[in-house]
Amino acid sequence: MKFSDQLEQRFSTMVTHYPTKRSVLVPMLLYIQDEVGALTDEAIHEVAQRTELSDLEVRNVISYYSMLRTRPVGKYNLQVCTNVSCLLRGADDIFEHCKKKLGIGNKESTPDGLFHLEEVECIGACSWAPALMMNYEFHENLTPTKIDELIDGLKKKEQQ
Amino acid sequence: MAYLVSHPDEVKVVSKRFGMGATNLDRYLELDGYKAVQKAISMGPDAIINEVKASNLRGRGGAGFPTGLKWSFVPKQSAKPKYVLCNGDESEPGTCKDRLIFEHDPHAVIEGVMIAALAVGAKSGYIYVRGEYRYLLEIMEKAVADAYARGFIGNNIFGSGIDLEIFTHSGAGAYEVGEESALMESLEGKRGIPRIRPPFPAVVGLWGGPTVINNAETLASVPHIILGGGEWFANLGTPRNGGTRLFCMSGELEKPGVYELPMGYNLKKMIYEVSGGMTKGRNLKGVVPGGSSVQILTPDEIDVAMDFDSMMKAGSMLGSGGVIVLDDQMCIVRFALRVAKFYQHESCGWCIPCREGTDWMKKTLTRFHAGGGAAKDIDNLKYLAENMLGRTFCPLGDAAAMPIISYIQKFRKEFEDHLDGKPCPYEKAAEPALV
Ligand SMILES: Cc1cc2nc3c(=O)[nH]c(=O)nc-3n(C[C@H](O)[C@H](O)[C@H](O)COP(=O)(O)O)c2cc1C
Ligand code: SF4
Ligand code: FES
């Protein structure tokens, strides 16, 4: 895989920040994933070469971090927190509502590849619970209506 | 966007600049920005450490270790470079305060890292931000770039002859990486498996060099201590517990939110006055006062001062500042199950008592809550958790076991009410959404 100009620039700057090359690994993998959609074999190989690690070592790191993945998911990744503060404010119902609305279950994507749904641990929005993240965007103090608006809005945007 | 709240009892120190546009460097300078670091340069390392010691500042990440003391453990002479590492992994359920600091006062974090670096003689500092907090990482990145552009960081800072570099670093999803030694592993590009201690990070840390690791709120408090003086800060709190704390109030409260209150503020008042009391129609069932890892308190145990020592005395911990308030519509078994599920998911799997123990707790509670429990399960669960205590490689094992033990000790009847295949009597939706 050839890095885009943006990734190339990220990498060349970041690698100067640490005494060892592999220290760039965790953030770099996330940036690549954000651009490519997933950590493909080619992407892993490229990073491994640049950090002087084996592909296997890179895979080993990837498997530890919950945000890193080797397969792409739907374009809009809805990550609903069901941890305690959210649970107390109805996260179970919120998650059920998302499932129904999208017609998919936990860790599934819609057939058109638009949406992905995931139950996640605390996202740091406890005082504004219940909450979810859509890609990197926080949506808080959720109600079923708010979720409908979010999903319908994204659908509309895609149709245009 | 996190929403701001306020209450007259608040004492705004760390949150002083929230909502005032301090992400903008010029604005930050108008609000006394980068004065503390200049003062710290003139003070020199020993005086900085003494001031922080005098402030009675204790770590806001959870353990409450005295910050000045931690800094004093860093050797003066070191063949290897020294480092400062800001812990912004914030993942303890119930905790959402570092987020506000990054969002509203990023330069205060930078200044805190700088002062810590000056105190211990470090030449580089890293600010680790959890992967999910991308928008905050971007705010921090911009703040760092702006500070470099003005020459506040880099070579010869403020004409002192001291060089100091600061970098931001993103995580990628992992609670365990918040544990200090796992955090260093992660920064070094590895799986977040903790390191054995001793040696402690202050002696052997990042890339083998002495390293100071502090929570973002701890570091953001430091510039205020340098400017206001250690004694002033200490006097805001209670003996041995200096300053204020950002308390994250969550649960069915009328006014949940993050409030900055003096150390030692009464927990009951925090719930019934500051947070407006319980949501209409709900009653208090219990309080988890310091993030999901700590022991629950019953309603008759909450007339206590919220500082590290008083909470220990009350049989719980001040922890991360996440005050999780349970109401009477929450089934304690259901709550326990969600907590167990979290630790099972986050256990790094390195040591057996934690890896297996969390798994068994989750399995037992799943069956139990679904009505398949037997009377002996209750004692077995407690026995299992008690046998994890002190036998794990890092504190995550204790963090998983302690709350479960407390739920059983204090709400045994609720567990017993789930026996004999009866559906959960405590909530409308008996089935957990997902296990
Ligand atoms: C499982 C686990 C998770 C932790 N997560 C965090 C965290 O997200 N943020 C944090 O500052 N400290 C966290 N800590 C505490 C750190 O290990 C460490 O004590 C702290 O960062 C030190 O800074 P302080 O003295 O300023 O609190 C965690 C500890 C454990 C055992
Ligand atoms: S206690 Fe848990 S998280 Fe800590 S090292 Fe053991 S398995 Fe890993
Ligand atoms: S528990 Fe849901 S955001 Fe913290």
Side-chain angles (χ1 to χ4, degrees), chain B residues 176 179 192-194 346-355 358 392-398:
Chain B
E176 170 61 1
E179 192 280 328
I193 309 287
E346 300 300 329
S347 167
C348 82
W350 182 252
C351 66
I352 296 163
C354 169
R355 184 183 65 215
T358 53
T392 57
F393 193 69
C394 89
L396 187 140
D398 287 348

Side-chain angles (χ1 to χ4, degrees), chain A residues 10 13-14 16-32 34 53 57-68 79-93 95-96 99 105-107 118-131 133 135-141 146, chain B residues 1-4 83 90-96 99-100 126 128 130-135 137 141 167-174 176-177 182 185-193 207 248-253 256-258 279 282 292 324-327 330 334-335 338-339 341-342 345-346 348 428-429 431-435:
Chain A
R10 274 265 184 216
T13 322
M14 272 179 56
T16 65
H17 294 175
Y18 316 90
T20 63
K21 277 191 182 156
R22 75 172 295 163
S23 300
V24 305
L25 211 51
V26 176
M28 205 57 215
L29 287 166
L30 193 56
Y31 293 128
I32 296 169
D34 288 342
L53 298 168
E57 277 173 286
V58 175
R59 283 182 196 283
N60 204 1
V61 171
I62 292 172
S63 69
Y64 181 88
Y65 294 91
S66 66
M67 291 174 76
L68 302 179
Q79 300 183 300
V80 183
C81 172
T82 60
N83 213 312
V84 288
S85 300
C86 290
L87 173 72
L88 286 163
R89 294 183 75 96
D92 284 352
D93 294 342
F95 190 56
E96 282 306 312
K99 283 201 232 168
N106 188 29
K107 295 197 175 153
E118 227 176 325
E119 180 190 13
V120 294
E121 301 300 354
C122 177
I123 53 176
C126 324
S127 290
W128 314 284
M133 292 192 79
N135 298 345
Y136 286 111
E137 219 174 85
F138 280 84
H139 293 266
E140 296 159 333
N141 296 316
K146 275 197 188 173
Chain B
M1 264 308 163
Y3 315 80
L4 297 176
Y83 301 97
E90 186 159 83
S91 313
E92 171 85 7
T95 318
C96 49
R99 192 176 149 195
L100 290 179
Y126 294 93
Y128 188 111
R130 72 178 290 191
E132 290 86 347
Y133 284 0
R134 174 60 62 84
Y135 82 103
L137 182 75
E141 275 174 348
F167 309 108
T168 52
H169 189 100
S170 170
E176 170 61 1
V177 154
E185 290 287 299
S186 178
L187 191 81
E188 292 183 12
K190 301 174 195 159
R191 291 168 72 90
I193 309 287
W207 305 288
C248 321
M249 306 300 298
S250 72
E252 282 291 355
L253 295 162
V258 179
T279 306
R282 310 253 178 153
S292 67
I324 308 162
V325 180
L326 282 76
D327 62 87
M330 176 49 57
R334 174 74 188 94
F335 192 84
R338 189 62 188 86
V339 170
K341 186 176 165 240
F342 169 69
H345 184 254
E346 300 300 329
C348 82
K428 35 184 185 33
E431 277 313 296
L434 226 163
V435 178

Side-chain angles (χ1 to χ4, degrees), chain B residues 59-61 70 87 90-91 176 178-180 213-215 218:
Chain B
R60 306 305 196 226
K70 186 186 274 190
N87 190 345
E90 186 159 83
S91 313
E176 170 61 1
E179 192 280 328
E180 57 181 19
I213 304 169
N214 277 124
N215 171 258
T218 312

Side-chain angles (χ1 to χ4, degrees), chain A residues 129-160:
Chain A
L132 65 76
M133 292 192 79
M134 196 277 290
N135 298 345
Y136 286 111
E137 219 174 85
F138 280 84
H139 293 266
E140 296 159 333
N141 296 316
L142 291 174
T143 58
T145 316
K146 275 197 188 173
I147 288 168
D148 290 348
E149 280 167 10
L150 171 67
I151 294 174
D152 294 339
L154 291 170
K155 278 188 188 158
K156 210 181 229 163
K157 193 171 132 200
E158 285 299 317
Q159 278 162 5
Q160 277 160 9

